[in-house]
Amino acid sequence: SPRSAEPEPNPNPNPNLDPNPNPLTLSRTLAPSLALTRTLTFTLRLTRTLTLTLALTPKTPAAMVSILDGEVHRTWRLDDADGTPHRVVLYHDTITGVRCITVDGDEVTGSMGTSSVLNASMTIQFPVAGRDGVVLILRNGIFGFRYQCKVGGKFLKEANDEISATQPSSAFDVQVATHVQAASSGGEPVAWYLVKARREADGAATSVHRRYRDFAGLYESIVAGLKGHHAARLVPALPGKHLKLVIDHADPAFLKQRERALSQWLQSVARIPHVAAAQTLHTFLGLFEGTREVSLHVASGSIGCTLQASRSPNLPAIVTTIRPELDGAGVRVGDVLTKINGYATVGMGFHHVVETLRAAPRPLVLHFLQMVSAGNGEDGGSAEQKVVDGAGDHELEEKVKAAPGASPPARSAARQAAVVASRKDLSASTGLYDAEL
């Protein structure tokens, strides 16, 4: 029988596909595959971009603030090679654009200027601890800013981000103990609230008078330093300010009520770790950087001490002797008089200070600074006390050491005798003199 014909191979092995497809049908069939390919390509490019961005960005993201937030403070800390701490602070008003930088409290030359929403991102250079530093004011979208600081090529962690979750909730024991009144420049009485603070780390303590406006300044600084940070929600509102036309600010009941409210507010903010670590709170409490601030309420008559001139206009008057009535008041030989009824004595000159004290109506409030060693306790007798001679803003004339093993009164007498002896030589060579007030 003849062989059956072999079937010819099918040129179209898939019977579901048209051997002569319509171009329009084919494009619709391949469109999903092309779209997927494009999506994968875009995803790969985006991944590479994000990887590069993360490599160039500090590990801790900078907190963003709005252009309507107003005054903002940012702080970065670093140590130099020998362990000396340094502090870089940026002040920026997001509304007006005004900004400047300070390093260890001194304004960086050329840092004053404006960085508003109309400007591009700004770079401000500065030297610190022998290294080059830069603060970046970066635009974050259309309506925001964020801030970064880099020293020696490395990004620094912002101070608020350094606070550990395990850090103690409060570094200070604080209270507003009482209030007093003193005459203002216009002759009207103003209220001063006595703030008592003790640092838990070393037991250092002080008592210092503050006005309500000082509490308001502290509140504004705390808020400015925490804007854009989650801890900002923890800050309670400051007890309200009332118009004098509505409420008599000299009314004892009103003053007592405000005293209690301010004490509760201060205790609340001091328990926030981010606030407890802030320099603004330390300065307000009068315990900062080896310095203690104390104040004295003079009800009438003499201020109870003798002052002597300094060679520096920044430190015009120094305590040289103390009368017995000031025992236990906190003022010591070598203290620098810094404020008279809240007005700074910087630049006044010694003669102006003396005349102001003599003419000022009583009662009045005086503020002093004590330069003491770190780790000094409440007594202060175990630490060296530094007496400033005024030859330079930060120079020290001498170190007066407490008599070893002596009781606190004996230590005080030893300090006073040493200062008076050295001041006699100083007065003889400079023509300066003591003023007993």
Side-chain angles (χ1 to χ4, degrees), residues 35-277:
L36 179 60
T37 302
R38 290 170 182 166
T39 302
L40 291 175
T41 303
F42 174 76
T43 303
L44 181 59
R45 291 176 179 174
L46 180 61
T47 302
R48 290 174 179 171
T49 303
L50 289 176
T51 302
L52 180 62
T53 302
L54 291 175
L56 298 176
T57 305
K59 294 181 179 180
T60 304
M64 187 194 76
V65 297
S66 166
I67 61 173
L68 301 178
D69 277 337
E71 186 176 355
V72 177
H73 302 169
R74 286 293 181 265
T75 302
W76 298 271
R77 300 186 180 95
L78 72 153
D79 295 337
D80 59 19
D82 61 1
T84 302
H86 299 278
R87 188 173 65 254
V88 180
V89 182
L90 167 69
Y91 302 88
H92 182 216
D93 192 309
T94 61
I95 298 176
T96 65
V98 175
R99 44 85 177 154
C100 76
I101 296 175
T102 64
V103 176
D104 297 332
D106 296 325
E107 181 182 333
V108 174
T109 303
S111 67
M112 177 67 74
T114 57
S115 298
S116 68
V117 294
L118 301 179
N119 304 120
S121 297
M122 179 71 64
T123 299
I124 308 172
Q125 298 180 345
F126 61 91
V128 58
R131 289 173 283 177
D132 293 329
V134 59
V135 166
L136 307 173
I137 302 178
L138 305 173
R139 291 289 304 279
N140 200 90
I142 302 177
F143 302 109
F145 291 97
R146 55 191 177 92
Y147 311 96
Q148 296 173 357
C149 180
K150 187 166 58 174
V151 175
K154 295 182 179 180
F155 284 99
L156 301 181
K157 186 179 290 188
E158 205 268 318
N160 287 325
D161 296 324
E162 291 181 339
I163 306 301
S164 170
T166 60
Q167 180 165 330
S169 59
S170 178
F172 295 93
D173 180 18
V174 298
Q175 66 169 321
V176 179
T178 186
H179 64 272
V180 296
Q181 289 191 325
S184 66
S185 58
E188 298 180 357
V190 295
W192 291 83
Y193 299 91
L194 183 62
V195 177
K196 290 188 174 183
R198 185 182 65 85
R199 190 165 51 209
E200 295 181 355
D202 57 5
T206 191
S207 298
V208 63
H209 291 87
R210 301 296 187 209
R211 291 184 59 177
Y212 177 84
R213 65 185 181 187
D214 298 321
F215 285 87
L218 172 64
Y219 173 71
E220 292 172 359
S221 295
I222 291 174
V223 171
L226 290 177
K227 283 180 179 176
H229 196 276
H230 68 85
R233 301 190 301 269
L234 304 176
V235 181
L238 183 71
K241 185 175 183 179
H242 304 282
L243 295 176
K244 293 183 178 181
L245 296 177
V246 179
I247 296 179
D248 182 9
H249 286 199
D251 180 30
F254 167 77
L255 292 175
K256 192 65 179 178
Q257 180 182 4
R258 173 173 277 184
E259 174 192 314
R260 289 193 296 266
L262 290 176
S263 185
Q264 293 173 358
W265 177 83
L266 187 59
Q267 292 169 357
S268 297
V269 297
R271 285 194 290 266
I272 303 173
H274 300 79
V275 177

Side-chain angles (χ1 to χ4, degrees), residues 279-309:
Q279 186 71 20
T280 52
L281 178 66
H282 303 174
T283 304
F284 176 86
L285 298 178
L287 292 169
F288 55 97
E289 296 181 348
T291 305
R292 186 204 317 266
E293 186 180 17
V294 297
S295 59
L296 177 65
H297 178 246
V298 181
S300 61
S302 169
I303 67 172
C305 61
T306 300
L307 302 178
Q308 188 174 62

